[in-house]
């Protein structure tokens, strides 16, 4: 029998005391969010003002010329804020604190909910609740953004982001009283945010027993909970759909802002709440379409396909597919800046992104399928659970892709970050190792056979390595 020394007992007690203080502080923070919703609304309106200014003002100004800089030109400044700072670090926030951005800061969500307060409040139609919309919206938005060069020009940015905001307001006005219907079902990034938030070490924990035994108030008054993103709070087990707004904190003495293992939801919850469209978003969307969107402009394959098709078109006597005849809101067309795309360019772009996404998604799916089968008889639920294990790699890749815009913009200003290569490699390796750990942990929940666990983990390791390679080639090898 092991003997515990007095010093060890003191150390354990001190650690427990620190943990209790952290838990108490988090609970108080959740309560603070609940009690300061008016202040949060004011903050949201401030973000809305900044958002509108960054979108609209650059769109009505002349395009920047060669001598312009981020600190002297409004358009370049807005471009850097949106794509160099805003979006990359919104993604980081999802992993660190869950969807707090959605609940406290997102201008689109705030405007949609305000519209829902004064709108028709209609019942949400069944077609709108289709689970495939987040995947479809992400793919279409990503591809259209590439066709119009959304990262480089204010017009496409206003069209994509502003159009999304107008749609969010319209959906809020039509359906769901005081709800965020757009955010839950249609937002182009809600699917990605849902996946990333599953890795957050913070969540609102629900004590079902405390909820069930909460004493009913006397008389007719009963506390009402309005969950704007339509989360069934009583049965909530994860952070994927929760917007971390704090409105439910301490509801019926059962909801508390709390810590958890960053791997907990993926390993122990995701397998019971499988969603084929989330698997498609991971395997074909984030590790396929998103990666291809950053690859294509420097791809030798893209150039080869374009040249082969151009030769055939010329031989056929056609000229217009090789000329920039479409307006900027269909294909990039800025002749004054010597930046144009022809219909052929657009077609090859679609071929490249589609082919890349199908190839990458198929290879990744094959590896995940082998891991699934290694654990026993085939199970789609197990397949989708293993696919969730690739979330760290997919998330890291999308962040690195967006942050590459940050690096490019800074480089254009003469600011060189020498540590970027090492940081990128470290993040990808870390994400790959985390995914490998998740794959091993998931395998352990599926079978008690050690040999099956090892076989499944090996197949999953190939999938994780492929996912890392997909993004590594953006920085260290041209496809």
């Amino acid at each position: 029998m092991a003997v515990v020394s007095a010093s060890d007992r003191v150390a354990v007690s001190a650690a427990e005391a620190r943990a209790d203080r952290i838990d108490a502080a988090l609970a108080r923070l959740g309560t603070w969010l609940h009690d300061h919703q008016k202040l949060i609304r004011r903050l949201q309106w401030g973000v809305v003002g900044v958002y509108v200014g960054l979108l609209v003002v650059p769109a009505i100004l002349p395009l920047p010329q060669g001598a312009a800089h981020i600190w002297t030109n409004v358009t370049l400044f807005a471009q850097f804020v949106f794509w160099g700072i805003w979006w990359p670090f919104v993604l980081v926030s999802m992993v660190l604190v869950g969807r707090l951005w959605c609940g406290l800061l997102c201008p689109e969500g705030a405007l949609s909910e305000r519209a829902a307060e004064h709108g028709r409040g209609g019942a949400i139609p069944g077609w709108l609740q289709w689970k495939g919309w987040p995947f479809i919206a992400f793919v279409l938005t990503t591809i259209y953004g590439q066709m119009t060069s959304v990262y480089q020009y204010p017009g496409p940015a206003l069209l994509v982001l502003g159009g999304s905001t107008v749609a969010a307001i319209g959906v809020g006005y039509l359906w769901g009283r005081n709800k965020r219907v757009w955010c839950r079902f249609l937002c182009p990034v809600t699917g990605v945010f849902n996946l990333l938030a599953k890795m957050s070490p913070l969540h609102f924990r629900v004590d079902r027993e405390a909820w069930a035994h909460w004493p009913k108030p006397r008389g007719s008054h009963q506390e009402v909970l309005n969950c704007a993103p339509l989360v069934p709070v009583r049965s909530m087990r994860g952070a994927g759909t929760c917007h971390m707004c704090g409105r439910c904190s301490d509801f019926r003495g059962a909801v508390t802002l709390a810590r958890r293992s960053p791997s907990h939801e993926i390993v122990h919850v995701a397998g019971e709440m499988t969603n084929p469209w989330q698997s498609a978003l991971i395997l074909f969307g984030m590790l396929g379409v998103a990666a291809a969107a950053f690859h294509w402009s420097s791809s030798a394959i893209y150039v080869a396909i374009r040249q082969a098709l151009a030769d055939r078109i010329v031989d056929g006597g056609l000229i217009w597919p090789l000329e920039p005849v479409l307006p900027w809101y269909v294909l990039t067309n800025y002749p004054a800046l010597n930046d144009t795309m022809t219909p052929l360019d657009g077609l090859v772009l679609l071929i490249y992104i589609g082919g890349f996404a199908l190839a990458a998604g198929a290879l990744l799916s094959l590896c995940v399928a082998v891991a699934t089968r290694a654990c026993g008889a085939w199970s789609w639920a197990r397949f989708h659970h293993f696919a969730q294990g690739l979330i760290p790699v997919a998330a890291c890749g999308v962040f690195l892709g967006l942050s590459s815009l940050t690096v490019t913009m800074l480089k254009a200003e003469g600011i060189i970050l020498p540590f970027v290569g090492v940081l990128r490699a470290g993040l990808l390796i870390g994400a790959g190792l985390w995914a490998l750990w998740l794959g091993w942990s998931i395998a352990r929940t599926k079978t008690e056979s050690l040999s099956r666990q090892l076989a499944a983990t090996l197949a999953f390791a190939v999938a994780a390595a492929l996912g890392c390679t997909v993004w590594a080639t953006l920085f260290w090898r041209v496809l």
Side-chain angles (χ1 to χ4, degrees):
M1 181 176 178
V3 177
V4 180
S5 67
S7 59
D8 289 338
R9 286 195 296 270
V10 170
V12 170
S13 298
E16 290 176 346
R18 285 194 298 271
D20 290 342
R21 287 195 295 271
I22 293 173
D23 291 340
L26 288 175
R28 289 194 298 271
L29 176 58
T31 301
W32 187 92
L33 292 174
H34 174 275
D35 295 340
H36 291 81
Q37 288 298 308
K38 289 184 179 179
L39 175 61
I40 291 171
R41 282 200 177 193
R42 295 191 190 102
L43 178 62
Q44 289 174 339
W45 282 117
V47 177
V48 168
V50 173
Y51 175 75
V52 172
L54 290 173
L55 270 183
V56 175
V57 173
I60 60 179
L61 293 176
L63 290 175
Q65 301 302 311
H69 296 280
I70 290 173
W71 55 84
T72 61
N73 185 273
V74 172
T75 300
L76 290 180
F77 175 77
Q79 178 185 334
F80 180 71
V81 170
F82 263 129
W83 308 116
I85 300 176
W86 189 311
W87 281 106
F89 292 98
V90 165
L91 295 182
V92 172
S93 76
M94 297 294 155
V95 178
L96 297 179
V97 292
R99 299 182 66 170
L100 183 141
W101 163 264
C102 297
L104 303 187
L105 298 172
C106 178
E108 213 166 80
L111 289 170
S112 185
E113 188 177 352
R114 299 295 87 79
E117 286 183 3
H118 308 286
R120 294 172 55 185
I124 306 172
W127 64 265
L128 193 147
Q129 301 180 53
W130 181 50
K131 293 182 178 180
W133 286 126
F135 171 77
I136 299 298
F138 175 79
V139 170
L140 293 181
T141 302
T142 301
I143 293 175
Y144 180 70
Q146 293 302 304
M147 294 174 68
T148 57
S149 298
V150 69
Y151 300 135
Q152 286 76 37
Y153 298 104
L158 177 61
L159 195 59
V160 172
L161 299 177
S164 176
T165 302
V166 171
I169 295 171
V171 169
Y173 178 81
L174 292 174
W175 298 297
R177 181 69 67 192
N178 297 324
K179 303 298 182 184
R180 294 190 175 193
V181 177
W182 170 266
C183 304
R184 177 62 187 273
F185 300 111
L186 298 175
C187 174
V189 288
T190 188
V192 174
F193 289 173
N194 185 314
L195 294 173
L196 270 57
K198 293 182 180 185
M199 299 184 291
S200 171
L202 298 179
H203 73 135
F204 276 96
R205 183 179 62 218
V206 181
D207 186 334
R208 297 188 186 184
E209 186 174 347
W211 185 300
H213 292 89
W214 183 253
K216 295 182 180 179
R218 295 181 180 180
S220 59
H221 174 72
Q222 187 167 349
E223 188 179 4
V224 177
L225 173 63
N226 171 39
C227 181
L230 298 153
V231 179
V233 177
R234 182 173 183 175
S235 59
M236 181 174 68
R237 297 180 58 197
T241 54
C242 174
H243 282 197
M244 302 291 284
C245 63
R247 299 181 202 182
C248 64
S249 184
D250 202 34
F251 184 76
R252 295 196 174 190
V255 185
T256 309
L257 182 61
R259 298 175 297 156
R260 64 175 185 174
S261 164
S263 301
H264 175 80
E265 184 170 347
I266 294 175
V267 175
H268 300 290
V269 179
E272 301 173 18
M273 305 168 64
T274 56
N275 181 343
W277 287 106
Q278 286 192 347
S279 298
L281 181 56
I282 296 167
L283 300 170
F284 293 89
M286 297 171 70
L287 290 171
V289 170
F294 288 101
H295 276 127
W296 72 271
S297 61
S298 59
S299 169
I301 295 176
Y302 172 88
V303 174
I305 295 173
R306 187 189 183 284
Q307 187 60 51
L309 290 178
D311 291 341
R312 288 181 174 271
I313 290 172
V314 171
D315 292 342
L318 292 177
I319 298 298
W320 67 265
L322 305 177
E323 297 179 345
V325 295
L326 296 174
W328 64 265
Y329 50 83
V330 178
L331 282 175
T332 302
N333 194 345
Y334 301 93
L337 298 177
N338 197 29
D339 188 7
T340 60
M341 290 183 69
T342 67
L344 175 61
D345 294 326
L347 174 62
V348 178
L349 171 63
L350 294 175
I351 293 172
Y352 182 85
I353 292 180
F356 187 105
L358 289 174
L363 285 173
L364 291 165
S365 297
L366 177 60
C367 295
V368 173
V370 173
T372 301
R373 187 64 181 85
C375 289
W378 178 260
S379 166
W380 278 110
R382 192 187 308 131
F383 175 90
H384 297 312
H385 194 184
F386 269 114
Q388 299 268 319
L390 292 172
I391 291 176
V393 174
C396 180
V398 173
F399 169 75
L400 289 178
L402 282 174
S403 63
S404 68
L405 301 174
T406 312
V407 175
T408 300
M409 293 175 196
L410 291 176
K411 187 176 180 180
E413 300 296 335
I415 302 174
I416 308 298
L417 305 177
F419 56 84
V420 167
V422 174
L423 182 60
R424 286 168 173 166
L427 287 174
L428 274 177
I429 292 171
L433 292 175
W434 187 356
L436 185 60
W437 169 253
L438 291 174
W440 165 252
S441 301
I442 292 170
R444 291 181 63 187
T445 69
K446 303 304 179 185
T447 177
E448 295 181 357
S449 169
L450 180 59
S451 60
R452 287 185 176 275
Q453 292 172 20
L454 291 173
T457 304
L458 179 60
F460 187 84
V462 176
L466 283 173
C468 290
T469 301
V470 162
W471 283 100
T473 53
L474 175 63
F475 308 109
W476 292 289
R477 183 169 61 86
V478 176
L479 279 181

